[in-house]
Structure formats: C-alpha cells, structure tokens
Amino acid sequence: MKKDLLTFKNMDGELINHLLVLASNIKQSPSEYAHKLKGKSVVALFEKPSLRTRVSFDIGINKLGGHLVYLDSQSNNLAGRESIGDMGANFSCWADAIVARVFKHETLEQLSAASSVPVINALCDQYHPCQGLADYLTLAENFDDLSKVTLAYVGDGNNVTHSLLIIGAILGCNVTVVTPVGHEVSDDILSYAKQEAEKSGAKIHATNDIQEAEGADVIYTDTWLSMGDDTPLSDIKDKFAAYQVNQALLDATGAKYVMHCQPAHRDLEITSEVIDGDQSLLLQQAENRMHAQNAILVNLLA
Ligand code: CP
Ligand code: NVA
C-alpha cells in the first residue's frame, strides 16, 4: 500500500528518528544519494505562496537525481477547474509522488484517496510536517539529547505549532506552548500530544502566561497571522505585543537559541536583533528543510 506524509500523527518514534538520521546522512554525504530518485518525477501543487518549501523541494529533488513539476494552482487558474480527486488521479498517471500546499487539510485527504502515489503535505491549515521534521533535525544538531530539551513556542497557535507538538511529543522532547487568549492550539492536537507524551516521557504544556517560557532551551515563534487569515493586523497587534520574541525574552527565559520557520515579520512577532543575532537558528532551519524533505522522499520513493 502506498504511504503518505500528511501529519506525522501515529508515526512510530523509531521511524521519525530514522528520518532524522537519514536527513543528516544526506546532508553530510550528498553524493551517496545523488541517484536515489533517478527517473522519478514529483508534482508540486501549491494553493498558497511559498519561498522555502517550493525552492527546497525543487532543488532537493534535483540533487537526488529526480525532477519536479511545479503547479501554481491560483495563477494557473487550476482551482475549481476540476475536482482535487480528478487532479490526483491524473497526477498518478505520470508522477511518482505529489507534494501539495493547500488551504484545508481535507483537500490533502481527498488528494490522497484518489492518488495511487504518495502525497506529502507541504503545509495546510492544521499542519506543517516538513517544517517540523526540519526543526527537530536542527535541534538534534544543536543538542545531544532531545529528551533533555525544552522548546517554548511563543505566539499564535497554528499549523507549525501543531507539527512541533506532534513530533516533539513522539520523540520525547518537552514542548511548552505560550499563546495569547483566543489563539490557542487545537484541543484535539494538544490532547493527542499529551497522550503521546505519556509514552515518550515528554512534558507537553500549554499556557497563556509568557512567564512560563522561563527555563526553555529554545524559543520558537511564527507569524501572528497565517496565510488565509484575513484578520487585520491592527485588530490583534496589541494583544500579541506582549508575546513578541526579543532579546529581553531570551534573556529572561535563559534560552540559548531562537527559531522561526519564516517568513518572518521583522519587529512584529520577532525582532531583527534576534533574527540576525548569535542565538538565531533561522538559516540552519531553512537549510534543513531540504535535507528533511529529501529524507522523506527517499523513505517514500527510493
Ligand atoms: N517555512 C515555510 O514553509 O516557508 P514558505 O512559506 O516560504 O515555503
Ligand atoms: N503559520 C504560517 C507558516 C508559514 C510557513 C502560515 O500558515 O502562513
């Protein structure tokens, strides 16, 4: 049966650790993997804009000897022209895998149901699994033992937060989520992460109190308004101001590093000072997107 990579939910910790080791090997020894996707073609269907995901998949697949066809659903007027299922069935006639960035998670489920080849989630409203895997690779490169690390996510509870919670809970990494009131993570995903944490030993905690980020090893943030959220910035700016990630927060919590999936909004959710400072892991995260995704592709296709 074909496998997909839609959420990382219910994935075995051993398989996630295997993907992290594979990503690290691909990063260290690219020539050993240069032909792993020889003759393979991947379709990338994007309903939303992307810089990192699009470029890292395209260049990454090329480095593995494969080929990517990019489809911009909006500017090519593909959305609504035929059903997503019909698109998936047609992609499966030519492609070996489908990468998709969509507004709704259900779209990925429909695509998967109609496709005979693996579907990889390149971001949806609920999850950003490729980002999450790259971020745990980045953490593993900076800490010897993920079970001794506490990641504090500060800001809007969103798709990136969900993936950090899911993967962290399975791997045994402690995750504290700090959000303003009304911007919490999904109850279902928090409960799922807490259940997984009982098995892995991770501590999973959600709060509205920024002081509870104290003692974290890493502070992570993301945009206050995700793609597809049309709330005017002026409506939420004051509420989020106390959750800005800045040098004062890094100093107060004692965190060693700062992370952000990007695109970053300088001097809104995160200050330029910390993006460009010595504690920043942002570009290491961006580089690792490619290696993590290549590990996923090699695992699913090679
Ligand atoms: N982090 C991330 O997914 O960036 P893009 O939206 O630019 O792909
Ligand atoms: N939460 C953000 C992530 C962007 C990579 C969004 O969905 O827009």
Side-chain angles (χ1 to χ4, degrees):
M1 206 179 96
K2 63 124 178 174
K3 290 179 284 174
D4 297 314
L5 196 281
L6 299 188
T7 69
F8 278 115
K9 264 179 169 170
N10 305 318
M11 191 182 276
D12 200 83
E14 267 183 40
L15 179 52
I16 302 182
N17 274 315
H18 166 73
L19 289 173
L20 291 175
V21 170
L22 182 59
S24 180
N25 289 342
I26 294 172
K27 183 173 181 176
Q28 303 308 322
S29 313
S31 58
E32 284 175 28
Y33 295 86
H35 304 292
K36 284 282 178 197
L37 294 194
K38 191 165 184 282
K40 305 273 187 200
S41 300
V42 178
V43 167
L45 176 71
F46 278 57
E47 292 182 349
K48 300 181 188 183
S50 169
L51 183 140
R52 277 146 292 274
T53 309
R54 177 186 175 177
V55 175
S56 59
F57 264 110
D58 197 338
I59 293 180
I61 288 168
N62 190 268
K63 284 183 191 292
L64 297 175
H67 170 237
L68 180 129
V69 176
Y70 173 75
L71 287 174
D72 176 345
S73 159
Q74 281 171 330
S75 64
N76 291 347
N77 285 325
L78 291 173
R81 194 165 162 263
E82 58 198 300
S83 78
I84 190 73
D86 286 346
M87 289 170 87
N90 278 264
F91 292 154
S92 304
C93 296
W94 317 295
D96 300 285
I98 301 165
V99 170
R101 169 167 286 197
V102 299
F103 283 97
K104 291 193 180 135
H105 186 68
E106 299 81 67
T107 305
L108 291 169
E109 291 173 337
Q110 289 162 7
L111 192 55
S112 168
S115 305
S116 57
V117 298
V119 176
I120 299 171
N121 181 356
L123 179 148
C124 65
D125 54 344
Q126 293 297 308
Y127 310 99
H128 198 357
C130 296
Q131 181 69 52
L133 189 68
D135 293 338
Y136 282 97
L137 175 63
T138 305
L139 287 171
E141 288 174 338
N142 288 284
F143 294 95
D144 293 335
D145 183 353
L146 285 182
S147 73
K148 298 202 172 94
V149 174
T150 299
L151 172 78
Y153 177 95
V154 177
D156 182 41
N158 63 21
N159 44 9
V160 171
T161 332
H162 291 161
S163 290
L164 291 171
L165 272 170
I166 292 166
I167 302 173
I170 296 174
L171 290 178
C173 181
N174 305 321
V175 182
T176 300
V177 175
V178 187
T179 61
V181 172
H183 299 268
E184 291 86 359
V185 291
S186 133
D187 285 340
D188 286 351
I189 292 170
L190 186 61
S191 307
Y192 171 79
K194 285 185 173 169
Q195 258 175 31
E196 286 296 327
E198 277 176 27
K199 292 183 250 164
S200 70
K203 290 192 204 95
I204 301 293
H205 177 59
T207 175
N208 303 119
D209 182 359
I210 185 82
Q211 301 214 339
E212 293 191 41
E214 198 181 322
D217 301 291
V218 182
I219 304 285
Y220 194 121
T221 193
D222 183 16
T223 181
W224 292 338
L225 290 169
S226 284
M227 289 179 278
D229 183 345
D230 297 328
T231 310
L233 178 62
S234 53
D235 286 9
I236 53 125
K237 205 173 166 189
D238 290 348
K239 197 188 226 187
F240 273 91
Y243 297 83
Q244 185 189 61
V245 172
N246 51 36
Q247 195 61 49
L249 181 70
L250 296 188
D251 293 344
T253 54
K256 196 168 174 197
Y257 296 115
V258 66
M259 297 175 77
H260 189 310
C261 55
Q262 304 186 75
H265 305 87
R266 287 175 175 261
D267 303 313
L268 285 174
E269 75 270 6
I270 186 167
T271 57
S272 279
E273 185 187 10
V274 303
I275 292 177
D276 302 324
D278 293 342
Q279 292 164 278
S280 172
L281 296 181
L282 273 69
L283 291 177
Q284 193 176 342
Q285 291 176 261
E287 180 186 344
N288 283 340
R289 289 296 306 278
M290 183 174 78
H291 306 301
Q293 288 155 195
N294 279 0
I296 291 169
L297 287 159
V298 168
N299 182 259
L300 290 174
L301 295 184

